[in-house]
Amino acid sequence: MPESATGVALNTIEVRFTGGMLALNRLLMTLQNKRMPVAGFTLGSASDGMRATILLDCPPESALRYTALISALEDVREAGPAETIEMALIETSRDWRELAQLSGVKAHEDGGTVVASGEPQKVEAFLAALGDGVEDAVRLGPVARPEVRGGA
């Protein structure tokens, strides 16, 4: 797994809120004013407002404290942990299917490119198992994967 700047695992939280741009501004100012160690930020829309997934570069205990601060904001409906994944786009001449299954990653082929995703350490193990068979690779992650709640 790629290490964070502090050498601890990245912790992710998902924040669901209403209130539009003003609420987003309040969230961003809270992240800045409280000096939260944000390693990644993804914003998306949901049927009932907005959703932000935030990667925090801190120990789990600190992430829980930051989550409590964020959940107290007036426009925040919900704040809690989210799944962290890594994705890799790979060109390989090796048979990757069995290695993906053994490594515990989800993978499929699309137009000659293998798309693999899973927990960062499992994607790392999958790429290591492919070894010199990797002709080209693009890695994205670790990133927070927003949970889908209530069909949103």
Side-chain angles (χ1 to χ4, degrees):
M1 174 172 148
E3 283 195 17
S4 67
T6 60
V8 297
L10 295 173
N11 293 281
T12 63
I13 59 173
E14 180 179 86
V15 181
R16 292 178 175 265
F17 58 97
T18 59
M21 294 305 289
L22 186 58
L24 175 59
N25 188 46
R26 273 194 283 271
L27 174 63
L28 293 174
M29 292 307 295
T30 300
L31 297 176
Q32 179 181 357
N33 292 339
K34 298 299 181 184
R35 300 179 194 271
M36 294 186 191
V38 177
F41 184 91
T42 305
L43 183 67
S45 67
S47 61
D48 55 352
M50 285 195 235
R51 175 183 65 223
T53 50
I54 305 166
L55 286 166
L56 295 175
D57 188 0
C58 62
E61 300 80 23
S62 297
L64 288 173
R65 287 193 297 273
Y66 291 134
T67 302
L69 284 171
I70 290 170
S71 67
L73 294 173
E74 65 182 278
D75 299 306
V76 172
R77 288 187 303 103
E78 186 177 0
E83 180 183 2
T84 302
I85 63 169
E86 182 167 350
M87 293 183 61
L89 305 175
I90 308 155
E91 276 189 43
T92 182
S93 55
R94 289 194 62 183
D95 182 25
W96 52 270
R97 287 171 179 81
E98 183 178 347
L99 294 173
Q101 188 175 23
L102 291 173
S103 300
V105 299
K106 293 181 182 175
H108 67 276
E109 190 169 3
D110 187 8
T113 300
V114 178
V115 180
S117 64
E119 295 174 18
Q121 59 271 24
K122 291 182 179 181
V123 172
E124 182 71 32
F126 174 59
L127 291 172
L130 286 172
D132 292 334
V134 175
E135 296 165 15
D136 197 12
V138 175
R139 294 175 73 168
L140 172 66
V143 296
R145 176 181 177 184
E147 293 183 28
V148 177
R149 297 184 188 128

